[in-house]
Amino acid sequence: MRTIVLPALAAASVLLTGVAGCSNRGSETAADSAAATADAASTEVKVEEVFSGSETLNGTQLSYPEGKTELRLYRVEIPVGGKIPLHTHPAPMLVYVQGVDSGELLNTRVQPDGSEVSSVFKPGESFLEGSSEPHYVENRSDKPTVVWVMVASAEGLPTTEWIK
């Protein structure tokens, strides 16, 4: 994981600390300066890469659909014992299991030979789903599972295609 602290905010916190320390009023204490420094430090922006990938769970290289690009974001809540039946997606998806107040997600992929491969994703974990890879997901944990799904699609393309 990479953390990036924006230099401008860091400079602003140093400047704020310096300005607070330059007051000659005599009313500031060391505690006041420490509080000003803490307030400035709490405004620092941190950017953390949570996930990066180029292959699906089956090891297939991502491919994107033709057409006018469109990004979609969904919040999906699967109740305890809930299941999203067998389906595919015509476009790749980034799936994130919400890190707090969420159960686990069981993802089962149906292979070309008909066998199944399952993976359990815990809160805070992510994975990629590719286009046209049949799978179903279940919540076998003891609380609702919340997943955030980002789809790299094309206008007019469905998000999900159900398999009967």
Side-chain angles (χ1 to χ4, degrees), residues 70-86:
E70 177 178 81
L71 294 178
R72 302 175 191 152
L73 179 64
Y74 297 95
R75 180 188 182 277
V76 180
E77 186 169 329
I78 305 169
V80 173
K83 178 179 180 178
I84 298 176
L86 190 63

Side-chain angles (χ1 to χ4, degrees), residues 55-115:
E55 292 184 349
T56 69
L57 293 173
N58 284 337
T60 306
Q61 184 69 35
L62 290 180
S63 63
Y64 297 94
E66 303 246 345
K68 185 174 180 186
T69 57
E70 177 178 81
L71 294 178
R72 302 175 191 152
L73 179 64
Y74 297 95
R75 180 188 182 277
V76 180
E77 186 169 329
I78 305 169
V80 173
K83 178 179 180 178
I84 298 176
L86 190 63
H87 62 280
T88 62
H89 306 286
M93 305 179 121
L94 170 60
V95 180
Y96 169 74
V97 181
Q98 185 169 288
V100 294
D101 298 324
S102 178
E104 299 175 344
L105 182 72
L106 175 65
N107 177 296
T108 302
R109 295 160 316 279
V110 179
Q111 303 302 300
D113 66 2
S115 64

Side-chain angles (χ1 to χ4, degrees), residues 11-49:
S13 67
V14 169
L15 180 61
L16 179 63
T17 303
V19 169
C22 289
S23 174
N24 258 345
R25 295 184 196 164
S27 62
E28 288 188 6
T29 65
D32 291 334
S33 288
T37 302
D39 287 345
S42 68
T43 62
E44 291 179 357
V45 175
K46 295 180 182 178
V47 177
E48 182 179 322
E49 183 176 277

Side-chain angles (χ1 to χ4, degrees), residues 4 10 12 26 42 45 79 81-82 96 98-99 109 114 117 119 130 138 141 146 153 159:
I4 302 170
S42 68
V45 175
Y96 169 74
Q98 185 169 288
R109 295 160 316 279
V117 177
S119 303
E138 301 174 78
S141 59
V146 178
S153 192
T159 299

